[in-house]
Amino acid sequence: MASDSGSKAPPVVTRFAPSPTGYLHIGGARTALFNWLYARHHGGRVLLRIEDTDRKRSTQDAIDKIIDGLDWLGLEFDEPPLFQSDRAERHAEVARKLLDAGHAYKCYATPEELEAMRAEQRANKQPMRYDRRWRDRHESEAPEGAPYVIRLKVPTEGETTIADEVQGKVTVRNAEIDDYVLLRADGTPTYMLAVVVDDHDMGVTHIIRGDDHLNNAFRQLPIIRAMDAIEGGWPDPVYAHVPLIHGPDGAKMSKRHGAVGVEAYRDDEGVLPEALFNYLLRLGWGHGDREEITKSEAIELFDLDGVGKGPARFDIKKLQNLNGHYIRAADDARLAAIVAERIGPEADIALLTEAMPVLKTRAKSINELVEGSAFLFAKRPLEMTDKAAALIDAEARERLAGLSKMLHVQNDWTIEALEATTKSYAEALELGLGKLAQPMRAALTGTTTSPGIFDVLVLLGKEESLARIDAQALPAGTEEND
Ligand code: GLU
């Protein structure tokens, strides 16, 4: 494991700070993953903060979905989640400290005044920004008891540079940063204040998040630096702003590209958590040209220098291929349990576990495993797909009848023995094995795709196999009468 040996850098603390919006976005999941891996790689801690200040959207259900999704991906956190909404008093306390020390000021501008200001800026084609009208005024100029907000007094001179671990050096002129609101007239903190205070109080050393927050970093740093000047102990965090995920067309990944919630990949696309873990890791981070990287390898290899500067494109095919790889690598009993849950009460886990080695050879999703195992639990009379029904013509029915006779007297119900019997029957008919296997498959599974036909016979057992074959075969004795 790498370490920051030699330097006196504090132990790494990262955080994932989702705003509950109803699901865990795959972009959010990737941010969580990168934070988790960075902390694990450096022997640090990773924390979870639920940014639930938007009370309308932050329902318990939305919060549960995020926590569930993270848990499913195998991203555990080192402390119970912190809820931002619990901390409004602390946020207000910091705003007051900034105010008392002259790093913030009261602004008494009314909403109407601000609207008029914006209208004028619009008309003059100026940037729309608070014009700092109360920055240098004394509060005695305000009407008695008038409501006010607290605004940050951002330095107007000079510039701020962030040495971002992904974006490199980025510089912004301080004059471009507005004196934004820290505390609203009703005493509630704004998002920008809450994030900074929480990151500090949680001891966060590294902020790894989407690059849509890079502008926010330039607005958040003045709070950090002002607080450091006031009381010390507010070091600049290390920033790493990761390019967002794009869809195949190059536009920011959104619902129109397909599912964006982790839950949909689990429930609808049938993806295994380790496959999504691996895929999200490779989405924007690389180590040579390696595609398949397990969790423990990822912990060993992950660092911010492997994060790409350009947006990664979401490629569902790659995810499906990785999923196929992890399905083949997965324990059969575990897969059987997952599949059984999808199928419902009629599923037989022991049978599914036995069938799994042949079911999983080509499957790229849990859904394909569910479909592929349907024949095991199908009830007679079997429902037939059109293609399967078309294979059972008069000739096929006669051949199935002949095969059935031979199989009825077969006691050794193993792949090898069944194969030998079927082959000798096909040879006697001067038929290729395929010509016989097709109607057999149709009769046994009701479909035209299934695992190898001898596997199917063994999995179904003698009694069920013969019942299915006989249901399609010409009834015994009919041959002579025709
Ligand atoms: N809550 C913010 C979001 O979900 C993240 C804030 C941050 O990482 O600083 O986009």
Side-chain angles (χ1 to χ4, degrees), residues 298-313:
I299 292 173
E300 196 180 304
L301 297 173
F302 187 83
D303 221 334
L304 292 172
D305 53 9
V307 176
K309 285 192 179 26
R313 288 198 186 195

Side-chain angles (χ1 to χ4, degrees), residues 13-292:
V13 179
T14 63
R15 51 52 161 198
F16 176 49
S19 309
T21 53
Y23 53 85
L24 176 58
H25 192 283
I26 47 158
R30 188 189 59 163
T31 299
L33 174 65
F34 284 10
N35 276 284
W36 187 89
L37 282 171
Y38 190 79
R40 291 289 172 266
H41 177 79
H42 289 282
R45 289 183 304 133
V46 53
L47 308 178
L48 176 62
R49 177 171 75 236
I50 304 289
E51 304 213 310
D52 58 345
T53 44
D54 179 348
R55 302 305 287 170
K56 277 197 288 298
R57 298 178 89 181
S58 308
T59 59
Q60 191 56 44
D61 182 56
I63 294 168
D64 290 346
K65 285 205 165 109
I66 289 179
I67 293 177
D68 261 19
L70 293 167
D71 199 47
W72 176 75
L73 270 175
L75 304 180
E76 77 289 349
F77 290 83
D78 295 310
E79 282 175 24
L82 183 125
F83 292 89
Q84 192 157 62
S85 63
D86 290 343
R87 297 180 34 85
E89 268 174 45
R90 167 64 179 153
H91 302 147
E93 179 188 291
V94 171
R96 301 253 162 227
K97 281 189 185 176
L98 290 164
L99 183 66
D100 293 346
H103 289 285
Y105 59 93
K106 294 180 183 175
C107 167
Y108 290 90
T110 63
E112 296 73 34
E113 261 180 82
L114 292 174
E115 193 32 61
M117 174 194 80
R118 281 192 285 267
E120 203 181 310
Q121 289 170 340
R122 238 190 322 264
N124 297 334
K125 302 212 160 41
Q126 286 168 331
M128 303 252 276
R129 188 182 299 154
Y130 173 67
D131 61 5
R132 305 188 157 114
R133 59 183 60 194
W134 276 92
R135 186 169 165 122
D136 299 313
R137 283 169 78 178
H138 192 264
E139 58 185 276
S140 60
E141 291 180 49
E144 192 60 34
Y148 62 87
V149 298
I150 295 181
R151 288 182 181 272
L152 183 64
K153 197 184 268 181
V154 179
T156 49
E157 303 289 309
E159 49 188 36
T160 300
T161 297
I162 291 179
D164 191 275
E165 292 287 315
V166 175
Q167 309 283 334
K169 269 199 178 140
V170 188
T171 300
V172 166
R173 287 191 312 121
N174 290 339
E176 281 171 33
I177 305 167
D178 61 334
D179 283 0
Y180 63 88
V181 175
L182 299 172
L183 212 60
R184 299 186 189 93
D186 63 3
T188 58
T190 56
Y191 165 73
M192 210 62 75
L193 172 67
V195 167
V196 173
V197 176
D198 290 346
D199 280 339
H200 168 266
D201 290 1
M202 292 162 81
V204 172
T205 58
H206 289 70
I207 294 181
I208 304 168
R209 61 188 172 189
D211 68 3
D212 50 337
H213 287 284
L214 181 59
N215 285 336
N216 287 344
F218 286 97
R219 305 175 87 206
Q220 291 163 356
L221 261 179
I223 302 183
I224 297 171
R225 294 189 175 161
M227 285 305 292
D228 197 52
I230 296 168
E231 59 182 31
W234 287 66
D236 285 8
V238 175
Y239 288 107
H241 287 94
V242 180
L244 299 182
I245 299 171
H246 284 191
D249 61 355
K252 192 178 144 188
M253 180 87 178
S254 70
K255 279 187 184 150
R256 88 196 146 76
H257 294 110
V260 290
V262 162
E263 161 184 80
Y265 286 93
R266 178 188 65 194
D267 299 341
D268 306 335
E269 305 286 330
V271 170
L272 287 177
E274 58 270 41
L276 193 59
F277 183 107
N278 190 155
Y279 183 67
L280 290 176
L281 170 65
R282 289 286 294 106
L283 204 51
W285 178 87
H287 183 78
D289 50 13
R290 286 194 51 187
E291 290 294 341
E292 288 153 15

Side-chain angles (χ1 to χ4, degrees), residues 272 327 330-344 347-357 359-360 366 369-370 373 376-377:
L272 287 177
I327 284 176
D331 176 68
D332 293 331
R334 172 182 164 220
L335 290 175
I338 297 174
V339 170
E341 205 180 294
R342 301 272 179 107
I343 294 178
D348 170 345
I349 295 197
L351 180 57
L352 276 171
T353 308
E354 193 192 332
M356 208 46 77
L359 289 176
K360 74 183 188 182
I366 297 296
L369 291 178
V370 172
S373 62
L376 292 171
F377 310 107

